[in-house]
Amino acid sequence: LGRPLQDPTAPSIASRAKRVLKKILQASGYKLVRTGAAGPGQDDGVGYTADEWATYSATKPYTISSVASVMALIKAVKYLGDYSIPGDIVECGVRCDGNVMAIARTLAALGQTGRKIYLCDKSAESPAAPVTDRNHMNRSAAMLMASERASTASILAYPDIEEVRRNVASIGYPGKNLILFKGCAEEAISASMPERISLLCLNASGYESTKWALEYLYSRLIANGVLLIDDYGRCQGCREAVDEYFGRHASPVFLQRVDYTARLAVKSSS
């Protein structure tokens, strides 16, 4: 007689087990999330183009930023081009650096390689973090930095400045428009910085470095320029410096949540 045919519309054992597991986790306050890189078929893939996914995939091995954070950078660069917003790009706090690679790749695709990209390398010469700086889990930033430096195989490890230059140059961006300063953000900012900044990315983590960068560079961010703060949610010192700076700022600034740690703002023209 053979085996009875299975109803093709009936849920599989795996899908039934998944539903049961989801209910158990939800009852305990948890959520089941697919691991690995997100793709167009997943919720956070909505609204991203194939070219944007290609850029993310190419730069993913060089960054620990989330899909949402890298995509925000790509969208920001496109926005600058669409509205012909002038100015150079500055990132304070560079590691390997996939974020800047995403910026450079997007600029190259738009045919806008005339913009200069200034990178302030957060290298091994960076000073120790103040004991008051902690992350969102209240762990000491100084301990985290020591752990990062010890993990040379990790993307979090501080690379040689030439490695950063090679990684970004591999995108094909003109070397003359890639300006990389060695040392911590504070030391790099004291060097020659552009008078007009269209995109300012802060990955300075600590209170003092974030405060210094905002006080020195935010005034150079032109009207309608974009500010992306990577460590706002993750690092208490960064958040305190940002809130303190904008708390006394004459013009209101709305910080849009990108993910659990990154925040984005467009500088008003007023």
Side-chain angles (χ1 to χ4, degrees), residues 5-211:
L5 293 176
Q6 184 177 358
D7 182 359
T9 63
S12 66
I13 295 176
S15 64
R16 292 199 298 270
K18 185 176 178 181
R19 284 205 300 270
V20 172
L21 181 57
K22 278 186 174 181
K23 289 181 179 179
I24 294 173
L25 290 173
Q26 287 172 355
S28 303
Y30 294 94
K31 182 180 180 181
L32 184 64
V33 179
R34 183 186 298 273
T35 59
Q42 298 181 31
D43 290 343
D44 57 353
V46 176
Y48 301 143
T49 67
D51 287 344
E52 289 166 350
W53 277 111
T55 295
Y56 171 76
S57 299
T59 58
K60 183 178 181 293
Y62 303 93
T63 182
I64 59 171
S65 295
S66 69
V67 173
S69 185
V70 175
M71 291 298 190
L73 278 174
I74 295 171
K75 297 285 191 184
V77 173
K78 287 186 172 182
Y79 154 80
L80 297 177
D82 289 344
Y83 291 94
S84 301
I85 297 172
D88 295 319
I89 294 170
V90 175
E91 182 179 45
C92 292
V94 177
R95 286 181 177 166
C96 279
D97 174 56
N99 291 357
V100 175
M101 293 169 72
I103 291 171
R105 180 179 169 120
T106 304
L107 285 172
L110 295 173
Q112 298 180 5
T113 56
R115 291 186 194 262
K116 287 183 169 59
I117 303 176
Y118 291 77
L119 311 180
C120 303
D121 176 32
K122 189 176 181 181
S123 65
E125 286 77 15
S126 298
V131 293
T132 54
D133 280 344
R134 295 180 174 276
N135 73 351
H136 65 294
M137 299 178 68
N138 205 35
R139 294 181 61 190
S140 166
M143 292 178 61
L144 291 172
M145 286 174 66
S147 175
E148 289 177 6
R149 291 193 180 100
S151 180
T152 55
S154 170
I155 195 170
L156 290 172
Y158 293 86
D160 179 84
I161 190 170
E162 290 307 319
E163 181 182 347
V164 175
R165 192 186 303 277
R166 286 195 300 271
N167 288 342
V168 179
S170 69
I171 297 298
Y173 205 76
K176 65 179 182 179
N177 289 337
L178 180 63
I179 299 129
L180 204 158
F181 296 100
K182 187 173 184 177
C184 66
E186 294 91 332
E187 296 168 344
I189 291 173
S190 65
S192 177
M193 283 282 116
E195 290 299 321
R196 294 193 305 173
I197 299 173
S198 57
L199 174 59
L200 176 59
C201 307
L202 300 186
N203 186 22
S205 304
Y207 173 85
E208 292 296 338
S209 53
T210 301
K211 176 184 176 183

